Amino acid sequence: MTDRTKSAAEQQAREEALVAEVLASFDNTPDDRLRELLQHLVRYVHDFIRETRLTEKEWSQAIDFLTAVGHITDDRRQEFILLSDTLGASMQTIAVNNAACADATEATVFGPYFVTDAPHVDLGGDISGGASGEPCWVEGTVTDTDGNPVADARMDIWEADDDGFYDVQYDDDRVAGRAWLTSDQNGEYRFWAVTPTPYPIPHDGPVGAMLAATKRSPVRAAHLHFMVTAPHRRTLVTHIFVSGDDYLTQDSVFGVKRSLVKDFVRQLPGTPTPDGRDLGDRTWSRVRFDIVLAPAAV
Ligand code: BEZ
Ligand code: FE
């Protein structure tokens, strides 16, 4: 054995011994799941450091980055979730926890703009609450995976206005672009909203700097959020996206699924609306979204 191969072997042995030592330090964790998660984490973190041959300067920069993520996080701004979203970790967690089930509608990222006390609207009502944008008629059904209608499903809907802001991003306490309603006895639903437009995620912090350094766009493809809940059904958190949108292939949080891309069909001014609403000389759009709920896990 040459000196060089001897040193390489010694180096590898030292690195592996450290991994084994750290793994063993968690061996007596009473909670099996906590032990499993921590030991996997240690394995992957050590693999990452060893495979990339991470320098001490890079390690220090990573600590500075995470420190900045912590510093900008408060009750209103959650930079850690944004980091998880932009690394695709949020979507991977959603994929793992919403297993494909017959033709059940795919789930996608929740995002930071849901609020629990949105107003109720009747079927056919307007969730825009004065949010700016082109009126959009949304209709469809809620069924189970056997095709049976799901009556009285609670549907929470939320969206940004056409300036790219959710109501909670304004500091005037407005409530707009959000509401909840319930499906009728045939599982059908309908409401007015505004046609979704693309908007950027908050990118004035460390996550924005990461996107800029990697030449990634902060923009989310245009979407309308849904959360649908019904007894004995898996809660569905999803969006629908606008076919033809330029950002479908570069959504900053990897939320786009082909099955969720819908035709928002633009209607010329004067086209009669489904409920007789008079929109004067405005264009409007309409979209159909048939929702299939998976059974709740037993
Ligand atoms: C959103 O869709 O509202 C959203 C999702 C992830 C990060 C930021 C915004
Ligand atoms: Fe959103």
Side-chain angles (χ1 to χ4, degrees), residues 77-97:
R77 172 80 178 253
Q78 229 308 351
E79 195 80 356
F80 282 105
I81 295 184
L82 218 48
L83 180 58
S84 164
D85 293 342
T86 50
L87 293 177
S90 304
M91 276 307 294
Q92 195 64 271
T93 308
I94 288 161
V96 165
N97 286 279

Side-chain angles (χ1 to χ4, degrees), residues 208-262:
M210 188 251 313
L211 295 175
T214 54
K215 299 272 183 252
R216 281 179 52 187
S217 163
V219 174
R220 289 227 56 204
H223 60 275
L224 178 64
H225 290 262
F226 285 73
M227 178 161 68
V228 186
T229 47
H232 314 301
R233 303 284 132 212
R234 186 165 80 192
T235 294
L236 173 68
V237 174
T238 196
H239 324 329
I240 49 174
F241 296 91
V242 180
S243 67
D245 179 4
D246 288 344
Y247 291 96
L248 287 174
T249 53
Q250 44 179 312
D251 183 47
S252 53
V253 302
F254 308 99
V256 178
K257 302 283 155 194
R258 188 200 294 251
S259 67
L260 300 175
V261 178
K262 304 292 172 192

Side-chain angles (χ1 to χ4, degrees), residues 38-296:
L38 287 170
Q39 290 187 331
H40 270 72
L41 182 65
V42 166
R43 261 192 216 102
Y44 291 126
V45 169
H46 283 253
D47 278 355
F48 169 77
I49 296 167
R50 296 177 67 205
E51 283 172 19
T52 61
R53 308 314 294 170
L54 191 74
T55 67
E56 287 170 285
K57 185 170 171 211
E58 289 162 343
W59 179 85
S60 172
Q61 285 170 332
I63 297 292
D64 288 347
F65 176 77
L66 291 175
T67 304
V69 170
H71 280 159
I72 203 172
T73 296
D74 60 19
D75 290 349
R76 289 172 70 96
R77 172 80 178 253
Q78 229 308 351
E79 195 80 356
F80 282 105
I81 295 184
L82 218 48
L83 180 58
S84 164
D85 293 342
T86 50
L87 293 177
S90 304
M91 276 307 294
Q92 195 64 271
T93 308
I94 288 161
V96 165
N97 286 279
N98 291 268
C101 174
D103 57 350
T105 303
E106 281 187 271
T108 190
V109 68
F110 193 53
Y113 300 121
F114 173 76
V115 303
T116 48
D117 51 358
H120 173 263
V121 296
D122 291 331
L123 278 174
D126 190 347
I127 71 126
S128 71
S132 60
E134 177 188 63
C136 174
W137 176 256
V138 186
E139 64 189 347
T141 54
V142 185
T143 59
D144 65 19
T145 45
D146 294 323
N148 303 308
V150 177
D152 298 323
R154 177 179 166 127
M155 310 180 68
D156 281 275
I157 320 290
W158 66 106
E159 65 173 338
D161 63 21
D162 69 354
D163 288 319
F165 296 110
Y166 287 80
D167 53 0
V168 291
Q169 293 177 284
Y170 293 96
D171 42 21
D172 57 7
D173 291 334
R174 74 182 69 180
V175 177
R178 67 178 71 246
W180 66 277
L181 56 141
T182 49
S183 58
D184 69 15
Q185 293 313 296
N186 301 317
E188 293 173 357
Y189 73 89
R190 61 204 82 87
F191 60 88
W192 283 103
V194 297
T195 309
T197 47
Y199 66 85
I201 62 171
H203 57 108
D204 55 345
V207 168
M210 188 251 313
L211 295 175
T214 54
K215 299 272 183 252
R216 281 179 52 187
S217 163
V219 174
R220 289 227 56 204
H223 60 275
L224 178 64
H225 290 262
F226 285 73
M227 178 161 68
V228 186
T229 47
H232 314 301
R233 303 284 132 212
R234 186 165 80 192
T235 294
L236 173 68
V237 174
T238 196
H239 324 329
I240 49 174
F241 296 91
V242 180
S243 67
D245 179 4
D246 288 344
Y247 291 96
L248 287 174
T249 53
Q250 44 179 312
D251 183 47
S252 53
V253 302
F254 308 99
V256 178
K257 302 283 155 194
R258 188 200 294 251
S259 67
L260 300 175
V261 178
K262 304 292 172 192
D263 288 329
F264 284 68
V265 183
R266 178 140 298 119
Q267 311 290 315
L268 293 174
T271 309
T273 54
D275 60 351
R277 180 180 181 185
D278 181 3
L279 291 171
D281 60 0
R282 303 180 73 185
T283 62
W284 55 284
S285 70
R286 66 185 303 164
V287 62
R288 183 166 188 92
F289 179 35
D290 292 326
I291 296 167
V292 180
L293 298 181

